[in-house]
Amino acid sequence: MMRYKEEKDAKKEAFRKYLESSGAVDALTKVLVALYEQNEKPSSALEFIQQKLGGPTIYEYEKLQAEISDLQTKYNELLCKHEDACKEVWIGLFV
């Protein structure tokens, strides 16, 4: 039983070292300090953290989702036109 605890502790320590060496601990610490130092706390701490770490805001995310949807619709339309054109060419070969 003691060996299992030692292995578990070793995994935790290795993960902690990984986070420190990759700069994740420093980045998170800086973001949390910036949040703490805000005179007026943002309505969404999570959005503040995402923004400070370089992620899109909720508005930007929704805008990108809408763009993806529009592009998917255009792609589907173009794919149908392409398939129709291929059918016409194929039929033309045998007429």
Side-chain angles (χ1 to χ4, degrees):
M1 196 66 172
M2 189 63 137
R3 184 174 178 195
Y4 173 75
K5 184 172 177 15
E6 290 171 1
E7 289 175 5
K8 190 175 176 182
D9 288 345
K11 282 185 177 181
K12 284 182 182 179
E13 182 63 19
F15 185 66
R16 185 189 62 75
K17 286 181 180 179
Y18 161 73
L19 291 176
E20 285 179 354
S21 67
S22 67
V25 172
D26 287 338
L28 290 170
T29 300
K30 288 177 184 177
V31 169
L32 292 174
V33 168
L35 178 58
Y36 175 78
E37 291 176 346
Q38 292 290 306
N39 290 331
E40 291 186 31
K41 301 297 183 231
S43 59
S44 172
L46 183 56
E47 188 172 329
F48 177 88
I49 292 168
Q50 288 173 329
Q51 184 181 15
K52 290 294 182 181
L53 288 176
T57 64
I58 291 174
Y59 170 76
E60 291 168 332
Y61 178 78
E62 289 172 351
K63 186 176 174 185
L64 290 171
Q65 289 290 76
E67 185 178 351
I68 288 171
S69 179
D70 290 344
L71 290 172
Q72 185 66 50
T73 300
K74 288 177 184 176
Y75 169 79
N76 291 339
E77 291 171 0
L78 289 172
L79 185 59
C80 286
K81 287 180 182 180
H82 172 72
E83 289 171 352
D84 290 344
C86 287
K87 287 177 188 175
E88 288 179 27
V89 168
W90 187 251
I91 291 170
L93 289 175
F94 294 102
V95 173

